[in-house]
């Protein structure tokens, strides 16, 4: 009866850890496809003659149906199947996320994601060579993976206020890069021997983490009562039954009459209704940040799906070495997300922070491509810097900005908008995530230079779309400085 109860800080830390592990496993299960691409269509001539008929065909070791000259277009179709389904499903997912228990919604989505991820890899063991099998699995996986982001952002937003949200979520958002790194390393371990395991093992991991979240995730601080139960406390009436009476009847500990107290128990406060899709769009800043994320995520996901193949083609590394080297981009993403959150907390300018990083990213992308195609391979420092500048704005918008807009002052305390706003912003960004790898697959046959020009143009457009919000933040700073000087 006297044992101490867990504090709210313990549950807050538990929520942060569980949501971090959840989305780490989501990205861990998305990464293998980019690692396995180079194994589905390797350079067979480097392996020697065909052992079956002694011919020197350059595609005898490729996995049908990716053994033709159109293999890049087929890889783009695989990426697009997942990402288009993800983008469409995301707009619907936030609506369900506001109306269903987040714990059930998140856990169920993770178990299903594990199933469809494993099914892709089982195509290797079942010797499946039909394109539509892999397309259907990718579509189903894209739909169920939309359960993740609105749910984890809503949970974290419920537990953390706006004070240092940018820094906290910048650190927390490193789960994206950590998941990519782990996914690359896990997939790389089996890519050259049995590439099916590169999908089966991540599928098992995400399903297992989903089961853990089902049992331990706490959605709201209100779900935890960290105070001792009332019947364990010696009340004043127990000490002296006549001490707490008045003309209106016995009083409770809070000074209310027992009748009023019973009425308050019978009539709980009415919960606000979940916000509509159009209502979320009317929140100031949602449209601008959504469109900005469209182009920022286009760049990030093009690197996610095509960077290992780019390294193989340009630097002539093996599949495993290229996968390991591509993790440096995600190392930069971790640093970029943390710095973006820290700077935006200090300055109060989320849009300005994003805009500055996007402007700096454009020339760095050009320099990285120049270094890579001039025989130097991939510069480690350049790859980390590109990862930081590309993923910093992406991380800031999808976490701190989404949480800020989902609890905007125009909502007047209605907390039933966070999941919907998050889904709108990330769903719009997912359209760019679908377009980027598709365009890369179509443009790369004409030369990797053109792919990087497309990425630079996307960064510039993302920056321009935030111009109005940046001007508004600049005016706010000017007004603050004028008031500080006494004007």
């Amino acid at each position: 009866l006297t044992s101490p109860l867990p504090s709210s800080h313990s549950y807050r830390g538990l929520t942060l850890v569980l949501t971090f592990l959840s989305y780490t496993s989501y990205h861990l299960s998305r990464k293998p496809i980019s690692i396995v691409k180079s194994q589905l269509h390797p350079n067979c001539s480097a392996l020697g003659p065909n052992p079956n008929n002694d011919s020197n065909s350059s595609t005898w070791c490729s996995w049908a149906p990716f053994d033709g000259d159109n293999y890049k277009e087929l890889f783009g179709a695989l990426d697009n199947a997942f990402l288009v389904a993800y983008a469409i499903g995301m707009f619907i997912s936030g609506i369900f996320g506001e109306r269903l228990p987040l714990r059930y919604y998140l856990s169920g989505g993770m178990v299903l994601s594990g199933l469809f991820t494993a099914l892709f890899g089982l195509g290797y063991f079942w010797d499946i060579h039909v394109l539509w099998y892999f397309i259907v699995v990718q579509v189903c996986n894209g739909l169920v993976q939309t359960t993740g982001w609105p749910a984890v952002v809503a949970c974290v937003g419920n537990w953390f206020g706006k004070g240092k949200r940018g820094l906290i979520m910048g650190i927390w958002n490193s789960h994206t890069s950590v998941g990519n790194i782990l996914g690359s390393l896990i997939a790389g371990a089996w890519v050259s021997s049995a590439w099916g395991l590169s999908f089966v093992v991540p599928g098992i991991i995400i399903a297992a983490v989903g089961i853990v979240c089902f049992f331990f995730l706490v959605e709201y601080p209100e779900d935890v009562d960290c105070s001792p139960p009332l019947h364990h406390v010696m009340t004043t009436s127990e000490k002296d039954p006549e001490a707490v009476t008045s003309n209106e009847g016995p009083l409770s500990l809070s000074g209310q009459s027992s009748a009023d107290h019973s009425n308050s128990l019978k009539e709980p406060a009415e919960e606000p209704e979940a916000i509509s899709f159009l209502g979320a769009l009317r929140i100031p800043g949602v449209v601008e940040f959504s469109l900005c994320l469209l182009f920022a995520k286009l760049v990030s996901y093009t690197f996610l799906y095509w960077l290992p193949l780019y390294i193989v083609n340009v630097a002539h590394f093996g599949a495993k070495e290229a996968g390991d080297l591509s993790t440096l981009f995600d190392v930069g993403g971790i640093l970029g997300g943390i710095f973006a959150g820290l700077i935006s907390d200090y300055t109060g300018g989320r849009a300005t922070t994003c805009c500055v990083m996007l402007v700096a990213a454009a020339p760095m992308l050009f320099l990285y491509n120049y270094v890579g195609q001039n025989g130097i391979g991939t510069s480690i420092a350049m790859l980390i810097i590109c990862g930081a500048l590309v993923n910093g704005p992406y991380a800031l918008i999808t976490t701190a900005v989404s949480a800020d807009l989902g609890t905007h002052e125009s909502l007047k305390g209605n907390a039933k908008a966070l999941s919907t706003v998050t889904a709108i912003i990330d769903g719009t960004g997912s359209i760019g995530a679908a377009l980027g790898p598709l365009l890369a697959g179509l443009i790369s046959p004409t030369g990797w230079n053109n792919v990087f020009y497309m990425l630079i143009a996307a960064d510039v457009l993302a920056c321009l779309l935030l111009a109005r919000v940046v001007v508004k933040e600049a005016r706010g700073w000017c007004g603050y400085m004028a008031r500080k000087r006494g004007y």
Side-chain angles (χ1 to χ4, degrees):
L1 296 178
T2 59
S3 60
L5 294 172
S7 67
S8 61
H9 294 288
S10 300
Y11 284 102
R12 179 182 292 185
L14 178 64
T15 301
L16 204 64
V17 170
L18 286 178
T19 51
F20 182 92
L21 292 176
S22 296
Y23 217 70
T24 295
S25 63
Y26 271 102
H27 265 264
L28 182 148
S29 67
R30 296 176 194 175
K31 185 65 176 178
I33 184 65
S34 66
I35 306 298
V36 174
K37 279 177 183 176
S38 58
Q39 189 64 25
L40 295 177
H41 189 95
N43 182 11
C44 300
S45 59
L47 302 178
N50 187 343
N52 296 325
N53 55 17
D54 295 330
S55 68
N56 196 23
S57 172
S58 61
T59 60
W60 63 266
C61 63
S62 299
W63 186 272
F66 308 103
D67 54 350
D69 294 334
N70 63 337
Y71 70 98
K72 288 185 178 179
E73 287 80 1
L74 296 184
F75 288 156
L78 281 182
D79 298 338
N80 222 42
F82 176 91
L83 294 168
V84 169
Y86 185 88
I88 295 172
M90 185 60 75
F91 290 105
I92 305 171
S93 179
I95 298 173
F96 284 109
E98 300 286 8
R99 292 161 175 80
L100 296 175
L102 292 176
R103 183 165 59 92
Y104 296 161
Y105 193 54
L106 178 62
S107 302
M110 294 178 74
V111 172
L112 289 175
S113 296
L115 171 64
F116 289 116
T117 301
L119 282 175
F120 194 103
L122 290 174
Y124 170 83
F125 299 102
W126 295 341
D127 201 28
I128 295 176
H129 298 277
V130 180
L131 178 64
W132 284 107
Y133 171 83
F134 299 105
I135 293 289
V136 170
V137 170
Q138 285 285 82
V139 169
C140 294
N141 200 10
L143 289 174
V144 297
Q145 289 228 350
T146 60
T147 58
W149 191 241
V152 296
V153 172
C155 284
V156 174
N158 291 334
W159 280 93
F160 290 90
K162 291 186 178 181
K164 295 296 180 183
R165 181 179 278 169
L167 176 59
I168 292 172
M169 286 195 161
I171 299 172
W172 173 78
N173 193 66
S174 62
H175 52 52
T176 300
S177 298
V178 172
N180 292 338
I181 293 171
L182 292 177
S184 299
L185 297 177
I186 292 173
W190 288 285
V191 65
S192 300
S193 55
W195 62 259
L197 290 175
S198 298
F199 292 90
V200 173
V201 174
I204 294 173
I205 292 175
I206 186 175
V209 175
I211 294 172
V212 171
C213 285
F214 177 81
F215 287 106
F216 297 105
L217 183 64
V218 181
E219 302 172 22
Y220 302 99
E222 295 80 9
D223 294 341
V224 180
D225 185 6
C226 297
S227 59
L230 288 177
H231 64 269
H232 292 162
V233 181
M234 182 70 73
T235 63
T236 308
S237 60
E238 290 174 332
K239 297 176 182 177
D240 186 358
E242 297 180 2
V244 284
T245 57
S246 68
N247 294 334
E248 297 176 2
L251 294 177
S252 66
L253 289 175
S254 61
Q256 289 179 304
S257 68
S258 60
D260 293 340
H261 186 67
S262 63
N263 289 337
S264 64
L265 293 176
K266 293 178 183 177
E267 299 178 3
E270 184 178 347
E271 289 190 5
E273 294 183 359
I275 195 170
S276 66
F277 184 87
L278 294 177
L281 285 177
R282 286 194 287 266
I283 298 174
V286 168
V287 173
E288 289 91 341
F289 280 106
S290 297
L291 293 175
C292 172
L293 185 62
L294 187 151
F295 292 101
K297 205 166 180 179
L298 182 152
V299 179
S300 180
Y301 267 66
T302 301
F303 271 92
L304 174 67
Y305 282 94
W306 286 92
L307 181 58
L309 188 61
Y310 169 79
I311 295 174
V312 169
N313 290 346
V314 173
H316 308 293
F317 283 18
K320 186 180 185 305
E321 292 78 8
D324 293 343
L325 192 59
S326 68
T327 61
L328 295 174
F329 182 81
D330 295 299
V331 171
I334 295 174
L335 300 176
I338 294 173
F339 280 120
L342 181 63
I343 294 170
S344 67
D345 276 343
Y346 179 76
T347 61
R350 308 282 199 215
T352 305
T353 303
C354 291
C355 195
V356 170
M357 297 185 79
L358 289 168
V359 169
M364 291 306 299
L365 290 174
F366 178 81
L367 290 175
Y368 171 70
N369 180 48
Y370 176 79
V371 168
Q373 294 203 30
N374 277 273
I376 305 176
T378 48
S379 168
I380 293 177
M382 196 76 70
L383 196 55
I384 293 175
I385 293 171
C386 285
L389 295 175
V390 167
N391 286 328
Y394 164 35
L396 186 61
I397 294 173
T398 54
T399 53
V401 171
S402 296
D404 289 347
L405 296 177
T407 54
H408 194 267
E409 58 186 8
S410 64
L411 296 171
K412 299 178 180 179
N414 184 358
K416 289 284 188 177
L418 186 52
S419 185
T420 301
V421 169
T422 300
I424 290 174
I425 293 176
D426 198 53
T428 306
S430 298
I431 297 174
L435 287 174
L438 175 64
L439 292 174
L442 296 175
I443 297 173
S444 58
T446 66
W448 286 105
N449 281 333
N450 295 329
V451 175
F452 276 85
Y453 293 149
M454 180 264 292
L455 298 179
I456 292 170
D459 262 336
V460 173
L461 286 173
C463 182
L464 293 176
L465 287 165
L466 285 182
R468 190 188 71 84
V469 186
V470 170
V471 170
K472 183 179 179 181
E473 289 178 352
R475 287 177 177 173
W477 288 329
C478 292
Y480 170 76
M481 294 304 295
R483 289 190 300 273
K484 193 173 181 180
R485 290 193 298 266
Y487 293 103

